[in-house]
Amino acid sequence: MPDFPFSVLLSPETGIPEQYDNHIQRRLTDLHGQFSNQEAYEAALAGENRMLYEVFELSRPHTPGELLTGVSVIYPGLIGEEFVMTKGHFHEVLETAECYYCLQGEGAMVMENPEGDCEVVPMPEGSILYIPPRWAHRAVNTSLEEKLVFLFIYPAHSGHDYGTIESQGFRKLVLYRDGEVIVVDNPRWSAGKSE
Ligand code: M6P
Ligand code: ZN
């Protein structure tokens, strides 16, 4: 994107920006080890290595003062009882926040901080979701039919720290059980902690 003020239109149908610089695509294999039901994950992989989510980013220098913005699209579906979700991450610069605006669909944001607080906050269409500094975040598509589409904005020097989440996941899981969206403790998280 240019080094002067600009605007970019989002498609009224899809929410995808008409121009973007980076296109990240994450498929099933990119979330290896992230879904709690390993058997269901392997079964899903036996089919197509399907697309779970895409990110359309407007690129700016990764320097303090700049903001990174763009749109993410999370496809609907389940792996076992678990909804399709992002990998999730802490920011490398922990004291940086992030803000989302939900354009389409319905979702939830799973968040936790190193102090041990955790929250799962609904993200209905039309809502702003604010992630304070220090909070790891994972977006979950809680619809089984619709895409979850949201705009994100965060400081360009934040960086992504995936390691902690990759090793033990988040403290909470968002599941679909008996026709309802439920939040449960993540057994793998406790196991990781006691090792
Ligand atoms: C959001 C933003 C991006 C992030 C993307 C995918 O749109 O937070 O910074 O990269 O989600 O999430 P993840 O990096 O956890 O796969
Ligand atoms: Zn982030």
Side-chain angles (χ1 to χ4, degrees):
M1 288 294 151
D3 207 16
F4 47 82
F6 62 86
S7 73
V8 175
L9 275 176
L10 307 182
S11 156
E13 287 82 36
T14 64
I16 296 170
E18 285 188 353
Q19 292 103 39
Y20 51 85
D21 304 293
N22 301 326
H23 182 198
I24 302 162
Q25 299 178 303
R26 295 226 210 270
R27 295 175 180 274
L28 262 180
T29 45
D30 296 309
L31 269 81
H32 179 80
Q34 290 306 300
F35 290 100
S36 58
N37 185 336
Q38 186 63 21
E39 244 172 64
Y41 175 79
E42 298 296 340
L45 254 191
E48 183 201 1
N49 182 21
R50 73 178 205 251
M51 184 78 71
L52 298 183
Y53 59 100
E54 301 184 72
V55 182
F56 302 87
E57 192 184 71
L58 314 189
S59 151
R60 292 294 305 163
H62 292 186
T63 51
E66 292 279 358
L67 295 170
L68 289 183
T69 187
V71 169
S72 290
V73 178
I74 307 182
Y75 293 97
L78 293 173
I79 305 297
E81 292 183 309
E82 203 166 9
F83 290 104
V84 172
M85 60 194 188
T86 61
K87 283 182 72 158
H89 55 267
F90 282 93
H91 287 167
E92 261 170 29
V93 180
L94 199 56
E95 303 296 338
T96 52
E98 185 156 345
C99 187
Y100 285 37
Y101 175 65
C102 182
L103 295 160
Q104 290 179 15
E106 50 189 282
M109 191 70 75
V110 180
M111 293 173 278
E112 65 186 49
N113 64 17
E115 288 68 43
D117 306 305
C118 55
E119 294 278 346
V120 178
V121 177
M123 193 165 52
E125 186 169 310
S127 63
I128 291 173
L129 189 290
Y130 187 75
I131 305 159
R134 305 181 71 78
W135 288 71
H137 39 286
R138 158 179 284 166
V140 180
N141 184 348
T142 53
S143 164
L144 293 179
E145 280 106 40
E146 277 187 280
K147 288 183 273 192
L148 173 65
V149 185
F150 56 84
L151 177 131
F152 60 84
I153 307 171
Y154 63 99
H157 69 295
S158 302
H160 293 82
D161 165 13
Y162 292 103
T164 310
I165 301 302
E166 274 173 3
S167 65
Q168 59 182 20
F170 281 77
R171 287 173 169 85
K172 299 287 180 186
L173 306 177
V174 184
L175 306 180
Y176 183 71
R177 187 177 292 167
D178 301 328
E180 285 183 33
V181 180
I182 60 164
V183 176
V184 301
D185 289 336
N186 175 9
R188 189 163 63 103
W189 197 92
S190 326
K193 198 180 173 192
S194 62
E195 268 167 19

